[in-house]
Amino acid sequence: MEQKFKREIRSLEKIFDFISGFSTANRIGDSDVFVIKFVVEEIFTNMVKYNSMSNKDILVSLRRHSNTLSISLIDFDVDPFDLTKTEEVDIHQSLRERKVGGLGLHLVKKMVDKVDYEYKNRESRVTLTKTLEK
């Protein structure tokens, strides 16, 4: 199931409805739905915030394969940003010592099993793979 959403933060409400509909149809539990919404919100928000020069919609795709969920977000007509190569956040540092930024992506990486990034023809694709609870 996939759908395009306008490149604006207020699209998140429609995205959450899209995720809820998919999750209900695929009998995905509440704890997994929470994770799905969180990671999609984080990636979508970053795409809107950091690729503001593009006016293209962002495609969100959800696919279930047995007990695995594949979540893809595709951003069109943008420069590359490989989130798989971002610095690890040292969560053990005090807040005063910690560099600002990166915590959201850190949490995304911890909440899913796999993060893939692909960039081709000015299209940026982030694919997250999550094993669903039984």
Side-chain angles (χ1 to χ4, degrees):
M1 191 168 159
E2 60 184 34
Q3 186 173 332
K4 285 187 177 181
F5 296 93
K6 289 194 180 297
R7 175 184 297 282
E8 51 194 27
I9 297 300
R10 64 181 155 209
S11 293
L12 286 171
E13 186 176 334
K14 290 180 182 178
I15 292 171
F16 293 155
D17 289 343
F18 170 73
I19 292 169
S20 293
F22 175 85
S23 298
T24 299
N26 286 276
R27 297 184 179 154
I28 296 173
D30 290 343
S31 60
D32 284 325
V33 173
F34 173 82
V35 170
I36 297 164
K37 287 181 178 179
F38 179 87
V39 300
V40 169
E41 177 180 6
E42 180 63 28
I43 301 301
F44 184 86
T45 300
N46 282 349
M47 288 177 166
V48 170
K49 186 175 177 182
Y50 297 113
N51 295 328
S52 60
M53 299 305 286
S54 176
N55 62 357
K56 307 279 186 187
D57 293 345
I58 297 170
L59 180 70
V60 178
S61 173
L62 303 171
R63 303 215 188 291
R64 182 170 184 167
H65 312 278
S66 186
N67 70 332
T68 303
L69 180 68
S70 175
I71 305 161
S72 292
L73 287 91
I74 303 172
D75 203 0
F76 301 92
D77 193 26
V78 295
D79 294 328
F81 174 71
D82 187 348
L83 65 98
T84 65
K85 296 189 174 156
T86 57
E87 286 184 34
E88 284 295 313
V89 174
D90 184 355
I91 59 171
H92 301 291
Q93 273 187 327
S94 72
L95 290 177
R96 290 179 198 178
E97 296 172 335
R98 199 179 303 163
K99 191 168 87 173
V100 175
L103 189 57
L105 291 178
H106 170 80
L107 292 172
V108 167
K109 291 175 184 178
K110 297 298 180 191
M111 296 172 94
V112 299
D113 301 302
K114 186 177 179 191
V115 178
D116 290 308
Y117 177 78
E118 182 181 345
Y119 184 80
K120 184 176 179 184
N121 299 325
R122 296 200 45 81
E123 289 183 13
S124 182
R125 176 189 299 258
V126 176
T127 302
L128 310 169
T129 305
K130 165 115 180 83
T131 302
L132 300 170
E133 294 182 7
K134 302 234 177 200

